[in-house]
Structures are given as structure tokens and as C-alpha cells.
Amino acid sequence: MPPFDTGLLDNDGRRAAVDTTDMLRALAGAGAQVRRALTLAAETDLASVTAGERPRAVHVAAVGGAETVGTVLDLLVSRSGPVLLTADGSGPLPGWVGTLDLVVAISRSGRAEGPVRQAREAARRGAHVLTIGAPDSPLAEAAHAARGLHLAMDPGVGHSRTALWGMAARAVLGVTGSGVVDIAPKVLAGVADRLDEQAERFRPDAEHFVNPAKVLAADLADVAGVVLGDGPVTGVAARRTSAMLARTARTPSTWGRLPDSAAQVVACLSGPWARGRQAPDGGRDIFADPYLDGPSGPQLGLLLLRDPVPADDADPMEVERHNTAQSVADHARTTGVRVLEHTARPGHDLERLAELVALTDYAATYLAIGHGLDPATAPGISDLHLPRKATE
């Protein structure tokens, strides 16, 4: 891989030559996507999906870049919803789905094979069906066959990775209309504002040394990243970050969520990638000759995504979450692992999630550009024998 070049980030002409589909501009439209979803919802009878009755359970069918929508809904339902939620867009529709259940099928193009197939099967079983994707698509037809509701995505919103918040907002509004969760429109308006603020901070014409997303991209260029969220909200952000690093920046990474992943992350901190090539005293060997000794191994880096510090009267579990994250960060530093920390500002779960996801989405895109790689495409993917449109 070519070395990371910050000049590609700050020079308009060179950046445009790499970012051929203007993915950065598409990311900047995330706030507008949420506002458009709010407008669409105000013009739609969302309660009609389940005829005003709360479903027994919800199944989300989404793949590729839309898969994150399922984790967002799972976050909301698991924290406040009274129903079961499952998510799987590539396999068969679960056998338990029936007339009392809601299937939410999502595909930006409206043609991803798994979600379309599951939506059609849900229609045959008489389940409630809510679909999100392109108008006049097979997915829209499946909703019509089920006498369900299709929430259309606007044409020209880009691919599924940059259409996340448009799809997520529609899904959140849809399940709210069905009584599964209770997310007020003002919450999503706050999400849109937070996304706009992040887009302003991370805009391409802000030079790399004053642009937090460009700084993070440069930091990630030097390490093999472990992305760790310190709780439920940041865990969703960590999963999305790892996927964006792999698909957009073509950089392998792993992710986890505290407290479940604490042991495996701490174990990695004492492994062979913790410091790369080391001197006998444990420090980095500055005298190592890459020609005689071979190239030094990659250095592990810990990207820790954090929620705000709990208040003094906070729930004990929140305090424990914060303390565990701090312990992992402190241990990483003592072992020589580089720690990159980013903390969301206070706000609703969705606002904090949007802030962190915007940061890492931009950082992954800048990381690809800095290496001279088009963030929207990758050689070889079109040659894979995948189901038609399986990644959309």
C-alpha cells in the first residue's frame, strides 16, 4: 500500500482525483437525509403498517452498508422497547415470523437479494411489512404485495454506506409509528443538527492539522486498529467503524464492546503486535535493519470510543462502564500500545451515536484518500460470486 500522504487530503484537485464519486460530499449530506426522512414521515400514516397495533416481535432484514440500521434499531429496542428484535438479511426469514410480527426490510437500491426475498416471504406469511429503499424497486413491490408500507429513499443519495442516516431515520420513525419504540421527531432533529455540526468540523477544506477526522485518519494509518466501544451506544459505533475501515479504507480491524470484550482486548495488548519490533529492554528497537532483520511488525493501536463521564449520582453500572474503559486504556498505555480516545458529547443515544459515527466515517474516507485509494470502490468485489446486489 502506498504511504499515507496528507497532501492528498488538503489539495482539492488531488483529492478529487482520488475521491471520484465525491464520497465526502455524500457524507456531508447526512443531516439533510434525516430531515428529509422527518418530512416524509409527517406526510405518511406510519401507524398503518401494523394497523395501530404493536407487533409481537420485529425482524430486520438488511445487508452490507444497511446492516448498521439493524444494530441501531437493536440498540433502541433493547434499551427501551417491549418486544423482541432480531436481525439477519442474508439467510431465510426466521420460522417464527407470522401474522403478529413486523418485518423491516432495508436496501438502498431496493434490489439486495436477501431483504427482497425475506420481504416477499413475510408477505406470503401475512406478516406486517415495512420496507425502505429505492422507489419502483423489487423491495417496493414486495411491500405492496404485503399491503405494507414502503418508505422511499431519495434518488442520488449515493451508496448504502453514505445513506446510513437516511435509512436509519426512516427505520426509527417506522418502528415508532408501530409502537415498538418511542422516539420523538425532535430527537431526530437533534441528530440532524449533530450531523451538520460534524460535517462542518470535518469539511475537506479544513486542513489536516485542525480537522479531527483527518488527524484520526493519519493516526490510524500508523497502527493496526482495535476499535472498542465502552458501552451499548459506543459499541454500535465501534462495529460501524470496523466495517468502514475494512470496506472504505481497506484496512483490516477488529472491534469489541465493553465489558464483554475486555478480556480479549487486554490479552491482545501483551501479544506480538503490541509494540512491533522491540529492543531487549522492551522499547522499540531504533537500530533494527529492515533489510537484514525483515520488516518490523505492525504496531497495535486502540481506538476507544467513549460515552461522557458519568455524573456523581449516575447509575452504578454507568460508573463501572467508565472505570472499566479507563482501566483498559491505562493498561494499553503501560504496554506501549497507542491509544486514540474520542468521547461523545452528552445527548440522546442517537445523537451521541451520530457524533461518533460521523467522525469515524469521515476518518475512514480520509484514510482511503490519503493512501491514494478511491473510497467508494475496491478492485475484485464485482468479481465475487455473491448474490445479486448483496452488498447494497
Side-chain angles (χ1 to χ4, degrees):
M1 181 179 290
F4 187 79
D5 181 2
T6 57
L8 287 170
L9 306 184
D10 295 337
N11 184 287
D12 290 344
R14 296 181 66 197
R15 184 177 61 246
V18 177
D19 186 13
T20 58
T21 63
D22 209 355
M23 185 166 171
L24 289 169
R25 181 183 293 275
L27 289 174
Q33 292 178 30
V34 175
R35 292 189 179 88
R36 174 56 186 151
L38 286 167
T39 300
L40 179 63
E43 301 169 348
T44 306
D45 181 11
L46 297 174
S48 66
V49 180
T50 56
E53 297 290 331
R54 190 175 69 202
R56 176 186 63 177
V58 179
H59 175 73
V60 182
V63 295
E67 191 174 13
T68 301
V69 180
T71 63
V72 172
L73 292 180
D74 182 59
L75 168 71
L76 298 175
V77 172
S78 64
R79 287 165 78 84
S80 62
V83 304
L84 169 72
L85 183 142
T86 63
D88 176 18
S90 57
L93 185 69
W96 55 261
V97 173
T99 57
L100 299 178
D101 305 307
L102 171 65
V103 173
V104 183
I106 309 163
S107 165
R108 181 206 57 83
S109 69
R111 292 178 171 79
E113 183 175 315
V116 171
R117 182 181 65 250
Q118 290 194 20
R120 288 171 174 165
E121 176 62 22
R124 283 191 287 270
R125 298 187 195 177
H128 306 295
V129 176
L130 170 67
T131 58
I132 299 168
D136 303 320
S137 64
L139 194 62
E141 293 171 2
H144 178 72
R147 298 182 180 179
L149 179 64
H150 181 72
L151 297 179
M153 294 292 294
D154 297 330
V157 294
H159 44 71
S160 57
R161 279 171 287 152
T162 58
L164 167 63
W165 289 104
M167 295 185 293
R170 285 166 172 78
V172 170
L173 290 164
V175 297
T176 294
S178 300
V180 176
V181 295
D182 184 15
I183 304 298
K186 66 179 182 180
V187 171
L188 287 171
V191 169
D193 290 341
R194 188 85 56 119
L195 290 168
D196 285 346
E197 292 167 6
Q198 294 295 79
E200 174 64 21
R201 293 181 68 204
F202 309 145
R203 66 187 190 278
D205 62 356
E207 294 188 83
H208 70 273
F209 50 84
V210 294
N211 184 324
K214 291 182 180 180
V215 171
L216 178 56
D219 289 337
L220 290 171
D222 294 332
V223 298
V226 175
V227 189
L228 185 64
D230 71 349
V233 173
T234 53
V236 175
R239 180 174 178 173
R240 163 74 174 189
T241 300
S242 183
M244 284 292 284
L245 288 173
R247 179 65 177 84
T248 301
R250 309 180 212 174
T251 300
S253 72
T254 185
W255 72 277
R257 188 188 103 177
L258 295 177
D260 298 351
S261 302
Q264 66 193 46
V265 170
V266 170
C268 288
L269 301 181
S270 60
W273 281 16
R275 295 187 184 181
R277 186 180 300 283
Q278 296 180 6
D281 64 358
R284 193 164 182 83
D285 187 357
I286 62 174
F287 299 107
D289 187 327
Y291 295 100
L292 297 178
D293 303 322
S296 60
Q299 182 178 6
L300 196 66
L302 176 64
L303 173 55
L304 183 57
L305 303 178
R306 305 190 66 167
D307 261 329
V309 177
D312 294 337
D313 58 347
D315 185 285
M317 291 184 64
E318 285 295 295
V319 176
E320 182 179 356
R321 167 194 62 76
H322 172 75
N323 292 340
T324 301
Q326 194 60 51
S327 296
V328 172
D330 292 343
H331 181 71
R333 292 188 179 95
T334 62
T335 61
V337 169
R338 188 171 185 182
V339 179
L340 311 171
E341 289 190 67
H342 289 274
T343 303
R345 290 172 293 155
H348 189 276
D349 287 355
L350 287 176
E351 292 177 312
R352 304 196 314 276
L353 178 63
E355 179 177 329
L356 292 173
V357 166
L359 167 66
T360 55
D361 278 2
Y362 270 92
T365 305
Y366 282 129
L367 180 57
I369 295 171
H371 282 301
L373 303 173
D374 187 337
T377 62
I381 290 181
S382 60
D383 298 330
L384 295 176
H385 296 291
L386 295 173
R388 186 167 62 92
K389 302 293 184 181
T391 60
E392 294 191 1

